[in-house]
Amino acid sequence: MMKIALFGAGNVASHLYRAFSEGNYATVSQLFSRDPAKADFVSSETEVIADYAQLKDADLYLLAVSDDGIAEIAEKLEDRGNLVAHTSGSTGMEVLKKFQQHGVFYPLQTFSKNRELDYRTIPFCLEANSEENLEELKDLAKSISEAIYEVNSDQRRGLHLSAVFVNNFSNHLFTLGNSICKDKNLDFKILQPLIKETVSKLDVLLPADAQTGPALRNDQETIQKHLNSLTGDRKLVYKTLTDSIQKFHGKKL
Amino acid sequence: MMKIALFGAGNVASHLYRAFSEGNYATVSQLFSRDPAKADFVSSETEVIADYAQLKDADLYLLAVSDDGIAEIAEKLEDRGNLVAHTSGSTGMEVLKKFQQHGVFYPLQTFSKNRELDYRTIPFCLEANSEENLEELKDLAKSISEAIYEVNSDQRRGLHLSAVFVNNFSNHLFTLGNSICKDKNLDFKILQPLIKETVSKLDVLLPADAQTGPALRNDQETIQKHLNSLTGDRKLVYKTLTDSIQKFHGKKL
């Protein structure tokens, strides 16, 4: 069994812990957290520690902490010659360069602590400073998921940025949609079949080919009616995205 | 059986035709289209016509045409005393007021001609000028779907606007996400599990409670890195939506 010392007790760490526990390829021997009370998800097999001096040898030190946390641990952690990897989308691999063996083990998903996920579909984006270390991370990822990708730091930063657009920003559009419903005393669940179909279409169409609506068909009458009914922030978002759709699809007058 | 004369041969008309045909509550006796060649989805039970003079009596004249088309038909169509309804989200019921019996039969979904849909989950938003007409539309909607809502014209306009945010605008964010992937030589399918989870969360959380990301936690370092890596349109969309998230969640510095 691969022996892992896992750093962090947040959403990513708790889900990776659960994913490793479900398989029998790797075991988390120690969990390092500045706040051990947060590590309430570990079983008795795992020792919870908060002190670098208590850290034992492991095949992999896996840093599932915030970007600031990675930099701090990289500074304080001694290089023992074993593999050290972080799980961040927005942090380059070079932050770990003081360790002879290093890499990145980035699961591209949004993690909420109490939500069940199907780990087998989560894309793992891997990078390492040697072919051997990459293979080691690949074998670990394969024990959890069926979606393994090799991506470099520049690509990973692109994925993370792209994830902000498709996840954070889309979710905010759902929030604005919900706020319009609330103003009209309507239940947001009326919109859910539409949202689900919007996403289901991506199974067979590229998003650019699935685009519809007043912006795409340059329906100025509807666009003006909508703009007139909006104020402040929602109006600015409407205008910016309508312009962007028209520029992208070459419909700008 | 309820006898319907259906106006239109586009996406909405073709899907409603299919939905009615699958049930045995209503039958489309005539389909009116200015371009009969487009009505290639009808069976031999249905007469395709392009001339108002050929129009026969029916229980319902259902106008599944563009907003401009509704106004044109409302002008040219004689009132025979039967129920006349349109299927538009953005057009008020009053456009049909010359007809003694009138209403709205709005399916809130995005329709693509060759895509199969589960009609039972599509929300039908209904309005009519009398309780009796409303019941008639309700019975028809119930023969297709399990999601029936009574909404007035003002609410329906709100739903249509909301649909632009959650469907058209979200889809454009997927397009921008895809374009970032393309620049980095990455397959967009890496992002699909994330997109699916973003939407699945809405089954249990309101979108405002599901919000995550650098804007929400006011992670200025990441926001600046992202802005520096973007230009033009994508940058403007990033800035506008980041500001909007921070304003909505009260994180603005």
Side-chain angles (χ1 to χ4, degrees):
Chain A
M1 289 260 264
M2 185 181 198
K3 214 199 269 182
I4 299 175
L6 184 62
F7 290 68
N11 293 342
V12 176
S14 71
H15 277 282
L16 287 177
Y17 187 89
R18 205 192 300 183
F20 296 140
S21 305
E22 283 174 9
N24 48 21
Y25 181 82
T27 180
V28 177
S29 50
Q30 293 191 304
L31 188 131
F32 182 103
S33 172
R34 276 178 299 189
D35 183 3
K38 273 184 76 189
D40 54 4
F41 51 85
V42 305
S43 70
S44 56
E45 288 170 10
T46 303
E47 184 191 7
V48 178
I49 58 170
D51 182 349
Y52 290 92
Q54 294 173 273
L55 203 58
K56 293 180 190 144
D57 279 335
D59 301 307
L60 170 67
Y61 287 171
L62 188 59
L63 317 185
V65 297
S66 69
D67 296 358
D68 291 346
I70 296 169
E72 190 193 318
I73 294 170
E75 202 193 301
K76 294 190 178 161
L77 190 65
E78 238 178 278
D79 185 13
R80 304 190 182 198
N82 61 337
L83 182 56
V84 180
H86 72 64
T87 63
S88 164
S90 57
T91 303
M93 183 170 71
E94 70 282 357
V95 70
L96 299 177
K97 65 173 184 282
K98 93 170 203 197
F99 305 102
Q100 285 173 63
Q101 319 296 340
H102 60 270
V104 178
F105 190 82
Y106 169 47
L108 177 51
Q109 186 50 281
T110 172
F111 294 99
S112 310
K113 215 165 189 176
N114 294 316
R115 219 177 130 69
E116 284 201 21
L117 284 169
D118 177 8
Y119 299 117
R120 302 218 67 81
T121 64
I122 296 178
F124 277 81
C125 304
L126 310 178
E127 186 181 11
N129 74 322
S130 75
E131 203 50 53
E132 204 188 324
N133 291 332
L134 186 65
E135 285 308 314
E136 208 171 319
L137 293 178
K138 262 189 193 167
D139 287 341
L140 177 62
K142 277 181 194 161
S143 77
I144 302 175
S145 166
E146 281 156 13
I148 315 296
Y149 297 90
E150 195 182 329
V151 305
N152 62 36
S153 289
D154 181 54
Q155 288 178 312
R156 196 172 57 254
R157 271 187 285 262
L159 277 177
H160 184 256
L161 177 59
S162 206
V164 169
F165 279 82
V166 306
N167 168 261
N168 301 161
F169 291 168
S170 291
N171 186 73
H172 185 58
L173 293 177
F174 303 152
T175 298
L176 295 181
N178 182 30
S179 74
I180 294 168
C181 285
K182 258 168 135 178
D183 285 356
K184 302 286 184 191
N185 210 14
L186 289 159
D187 191 333
F188 183 59
K189 76 168 195 256
I190 305 186
L191 288 167
Q192 287 203 5
L194 175 64
I195 293 173
K196 290 199 170 156
E197 172 66 6
T198 306
V199 168
S200 291
K201 274 190 181 178
L202 300 181
D203 289 340
V204 291
L205 288 174
L206 281 173
D209 297 329
Q211 189 65 49
T212 57
L216 183 76
R217 57 175 195 272
N218 196 26
D219 175 352
Q220 285 298 333
E221 200 182 316
T222 301
I223 293 169
Q224 284 312 319
K225 267 198 241 171
H226 283 166
L227 285 173
N228 291 341
S229 73
L230 291 166
T231 55
D233 218 43
R234 294 176 189 170
K235 187 173 197 148
L236 191 62
V237 169
Y238 189 100
K239 222 187 142 337
T240 304
L241 284 165
T242 293
D243 285 351
S244 180
I245 289 169
Q246 298 203 324
K247 267 182 212 155
F248 191 94
H249 293 274
K251 297 272 167 171
K252 196 71 188 170
L253 291 187
Chain B
M1 290 263 264
M2 184 182 199
K3 215 198 268 181
I4 298 174
L6 183 63
F7 291 68
N11 293 342
V12 177
S14 71
H15 276 282
L16 287 177
Y17 186 89
R18 206 194 299 184
F20 296 141
S21 303
E22 283 174 10
N24 49 22
Y25 181 83
T27 180
V28 177
S29 52
Q30 293 190 304
L31 186 131
F32 182 104
S33 172
R34 277 177 298 189
D35 183 4
K38 272 185 74 189
D40 54 4
F41 52 86
V42 306
S43 70
S44 57
E45 286 171 9
T46 302
E47 185 191 7
V48 178
I49 59 171
D51 183 350
Y52 290 92
Q54 294 174 274
L55 203 58
K56 293 179 189 147
D57 280 334
D59 301 306
L60 170 66
Y61 287 170
L62 188 58
L63 317 185
V65 297
S66 69
D67 296 357
D68 292 346
I70 295 169
E72 190 193 318
I73 294 170
E75 201 193 302
K76 295 189 179 164
L77 190 65
E78 238 177 277
D79 185 13
R80 303 190 182 197
N82 61 338
L83 182 55
V84 180
H86 71 66
T87 62
S88 165
S90 56
T91 303
M93 183 169 74
E94 70 281 358
V95 70
L96 300 176
K97 65 175 186 279
K98 93 169 203 197
F99 305 102
Q100 284 173 64
Q101 319 296 338
H102 60 270
V104 178
F105 190 82
Y106 169 47
L108 177 52
Q109 188 48 282
T110 171
F111 295 99
S112 309
K113 215 165 189 175
N114 293 315
R115 221 179 128 69
E116 284 201 21
L117 283 170
D118 177 8
Y119 299 118
R120 301 218 68 82
T121 64
I122 296 178
F124 278 82
C125 304
L126 309 179
E127 185 180 11
N129 74 322
S130 75
E131 204 49 53
E132 204 187 326
N133 290 333
L134 186 66
E135 285 307 314
E136 208 170 319
L137 293 178
K138 264 190 194 167
D139 288 341
L140 177 61
K142 278 182 195 161
S143 78
I144 300 174
S145 166
E146 282 155 12
I148 315 296
Y149 297 89
E150 195 182 328
V151 305
N152 63 35
S153 289
D154 181 53
Q155 288 178 311
R156 197 173 57 254
R157 271 187 285 262
L159 277 177
H160 185 256
L161 177 59
S162 204
V164 169
F165 279 82
V166 305
N167 168 262
N168 301 162
F169 291 168
S170 291
N171 187 72
H172 185 58
L173 293 177
F174 303 151
T175 298
L176 295 181
N178 183 30
S179 74
I180 294 168
C181 284
K182 258 171 138 174
D183 286 355
K184 302 286 184 189
N185 210 14
L186 290 159
D187 191 334
F188 183 60
K189 77 167 194 263
I190 304 187
L191 287 167
Q192 287 202 7
L194 175 64
I195 293 173
K196 289 198 171 158
E197 171 66 6
T198 306
V199 168
S200 291
K201 275 189 182 178
L202 300 180
D203 289 340
V204 290
L205 288 174
L206 281 174
D209 297 328
Q211 188 66 48
T212 57
L216 183 75
R217 58 175 195 272
N218 195 27
D219 174 353
Q220 285 299 332
E221 200 183 317
T222 301
I223 293 170
Q224 284 312 319
K225 269 199 239 171
H226 283 166
L227 285 172
N228 291 341
S229 73
L230 292 165
T231 56
D233 219 43
R234 293 177 190 169
K235 187 173 196 146
L236 190 62
V237 169
Y238 188 101
K239 222 188 139 344
T240 305
L241 284 164
T242 293
D243 285 351
S244 180
I245 290 170
Q246 299 204 321
K247 267 181 212 155
F248 190 93
H249 293 274
K251 298 271 167 172
K252 196 69 185 169
L253 291 186

